[in-house]
Amino acid sequence: HNRNAYNKRCYYQWMSADCHIHATRSPDSDTPYSIRAQQAVTDELDLPILTEHVQIGGLQPTLDALELTGTLGVYGQEVTTFEYGHFNAFPLIEDNLGTNYGAVFPYDKRPTELFEAIRNQHAGDKIIQVNHPRGGSFGAYFDVAKLDADSATGDPEMWDTNWDAIEVFNGGCHLREEFDDWIALTNHGIGRTLAAGSDSHGEASPIGLPRTWIEVDRDAVVADREALVEPIRSRQVFVSCGPFIRFTTVDGTVGIGGRTGVDAQGQVSFRAEVSAPGWIALTEARLYRNGQVIDAIPIESTADGIRLDIEFNDIPTKDSWYMLGVIGSGNLMPVYNSGPPNAFTNPIEVDMDGDGQWTPPALVSD
C-alpha cells in the first residue's frame, strides 16, 4: 500500500438521490407531499424520487409552491405486482388526465411484458429498478423467479433481465442476500447497477438513507431529468449510509462504472478516498475483486473529514472487476436510526489481456 495522501485531488460532480420514497398517493402512506419536500431539503437530498404504489407522483410542483430550491423532484412509480415483485420506474411523466396520473398497471402482465410496458409507457428512456428482490414474499422478484446465483439463471416463465438496477440496500446498509445476488450477476456479465432506497412510507421514517450517489452533471438534470438514466445504467453510482467515497484509477481518468487496463507489469492500481465526519465510526475499507475481499485497510479516526486516502494495487489473472466497500460500526444516531454506516461502490472493470473486450470472470476458468 502507498498510504501517502495524493497531492492532486480530482473532484467530480455527484448528486445524492433516494430512489424509493412513498407519500400520500400510495395506499399505504399518509405522508403529505409538503412534508416529503421539506424532509428532502432539510436532509440536503438533491434528488428525491417519489415511487408511489399504483400511481405516478413527483415533488417538483410542491417544491416550487413552497419556494424550496436546490432540490430537484423526480416523477416515478413503484409498479406493484401481487405475484412476482415490485419495480421502480423513473423518471416518468405525470399525466394529469390519465388514469392514476398515467401509471402502468401490472395485473395482466408477466415480467417480460411488464418491463416492456414500462419502457414503452411514454417517450423517453427510463430506469427500471428491482426492489427488495429477496424475502420470500410476492414483492421479492428473485425468489419468485427462482434466481440461481451460481448460474445467474431463473424460471424461464418468470426470469427476465430487461431492467437496470437492483435495490441491494432497502432502508439501511446491512449486507443482505441481494448483495450476493448482485455479485453473482456481475460475475456472469449481467452488469446491473447496485442501488438503494429508504422505502420510507411514514413521516417518522427518514428519507435519504441509504443514499444513492450518482455522478452526473447537475445542469443537465435541471434541464431534463432523463439525464439521470445513462449514468445510472452505466453504474456511475455508489450507495452510502454516511461515508462519501471516491474510487478511481490512480491517475483519476477512470472512475466508478468505467473500464481500465493493466500496466506493463500486469498491475492495476486504484486510489481510494473516504470522507466522513469524525463522529461516524468507520472500521475499514475493503477492496473486492470479482466479489471477494482481497485487501482491507483500517480506517482511523481523524478530525479533518478525510478518513482514508490510499492506493490499492493488484495483479489480476483474468478480466476482473473491482469495487470498494467501507465498513462501519454502531449507527448514525441521533441523525438517522438505520444501522451501521456502510458504503459500497459499483465496479471498475479491468481488461487484463488488453484485447479490448471484457470477459465476465465466471465465464473464464481460474
Side-chain angles (χ1 to χ4, degrees):
H1 302 286
N2 177 0
R3 296 173 184 246
N4 295 322
Y6 289 80
N7 292 323
K8 180 179 179 181
R9 302 189 186 279
C10 298
Y11 292 94
Y12 301 90
Q13 189 163 25
W14 292 85
M15 298 186 74
S16 60
D18 186 339
C19 302
H20 196 168
I21 302 173
H22 295 275
T24 49
R25 285 187 185 175
S26 290
D28 54 358
S29 175
D30 58 1
T31 305
Y33 276 32
S34 59
I35 294 296
R36 287 297 189 219
Q38 292 173 74
Q39 288 175 332
V41 172
T42 301
D43 287 346
E44 296 185 297
L45 182 66
D46 299 314
L47 298 163
I49 302 174
L50 280 192
T51 50
E52 303 279 40
H53 295 294
V54 187
Q55 305 192 59
I56 290 177
L59 286 180
Q60 194 60 55
T62 306
L63 291 163
D64 293 341
L66 295 174
E67 298 183 350
L68 298 174
T69 60
T71 293
L72 306 176
V74 179
Y75 283 97
Q77 179 191 352
E78 183 168 23
V79 182
T80 306
T81 77
F82 291 93
E83 180 185 359
Y84 56 84
H86 295 182
F87 310 94
N88 282 349
F90 62 88
L92 301 180
I93 298 173
E94 183 182 52
D95 179 0
N96 288 318
L97 299 179
T99 303
N100 289 17
Y101 300 94
V104 167
F105 289 89
Y107 312 119
D108 61 343
K109 300 176 179 65
R110 306 298 283 173
T112 297
E113 297 171 318
L114 179 61
F115 299 147
E116 284 297 325
I118 294 171
R119 299 249 183 248
N120 297 324
Q121 180 175 0
H122 52 67
D125 204 358
K126 52 195 70 71
I127 292 294
I128 299 175
Q129 173 178 294
V130 181
N131 290 342
H132 39 69
R134 293 290 189 183
S137 71
F138 62 80
Y141 179 56
F142 289 178
D143 286 338
V144 177
K146 297 181 172 60
L147 171 61
D148 175 47
D150 290 335
S151 63
T153 60
D155 178 353
E157 295 294 319
M158 299 295 290
W159 179 242
D160 192 291
T161 59
N162 185 18
W163 40 268
D164 307 289
I166 305 172
E167 188 184 56
V168 174
F169 303 103
N170 176 282
C173 288
H174 296 279
L175 285 174
R176 290 160 47 108
E177 185 177 358
E178 293 94 335
F179 185 74
D180 294 332
D181 291 325
W182 174 78
I183 287 172
L185 292 171
T186 305
N187 280 333
H188 281 84
I190 303 174
R192 300 299 183 265
T193 302
L194 179 153
S198 67
D199 198 6
S200 175
H201 285 67
E203 182 176 336
S205 178
I207 65 174
L209 213 80
R211 189 163 295 207
T212 299
W213 288 94
I214 306 163
E215 187 179 10
V216 63
D217 181 74
R218 182 183 180 88
D219 290 341
V221 179
V222 170
D224 184 355
R225 301 297 191 268
E226 195 176 324
L228 292 169
V229 172
E230 185 52 34
I232 294 174
R233 187 172 290 147
S234 298
R235 300 183 290 179
Q236 295 166 215
V237 169
F238 71 91
V239 300
S240 177
C241 289
F244 190 89
I245 295 176
R246 292 183 177 90
F247 181 55
T248 68
T249 53
V250 165
D251 61 8
T253 60
V254 177
I256 298 167
R259 183 179 297 174
T260 189
V262 297
D263 64 17
Q265 288 72 46
Q267 178 175 275
V268 62
S269 298
F270 301 103
R271 177 241 180 146
E273 180 184 288
V274 178
S275 304
W279 60 269
I280 291 182
L282 301 181
T283 305
E284 64 182 18
R286 297 175 178 173
L287 181 69
Y288 291 74
R289 185 211 304 131
N290 303 333
Q292 300 296 315
V293 178
I294 61 169
D295 207 347
I297 296 297
I299 299 178
E300 300 175 357
S301 296
T302 57
D304 64 358
I306 305 298
R307 306 288 293 275
L308 189 72
D309 190 353
I310 65 165
E311 180 181 323
F312 284 105
N313 303 301
D314 189 48
I315 299 177
T317 58
K318 59 183 176 181
D319 289 357
S320 298
W321 59 271
Y322 294 80
M323 66 177 290
L324 188 73
V326 176
I327 307 302
S329 61
N331 56 48
L332 297 180
M333 290 293 287
V335 180
Y336 284 105
N337 182 18
S338 62
N342 298 334
F344 298 87
T345 73
N346 273 276
I348 297 177
E349 295 177 348
V350 175
D351 176 12
M352 187 278 298
D353 53 18
D355 64 355
Q357 305 293 322
W358 188 81
T359 304
L363 305 185
V364 180
S365 60
D366 292 319

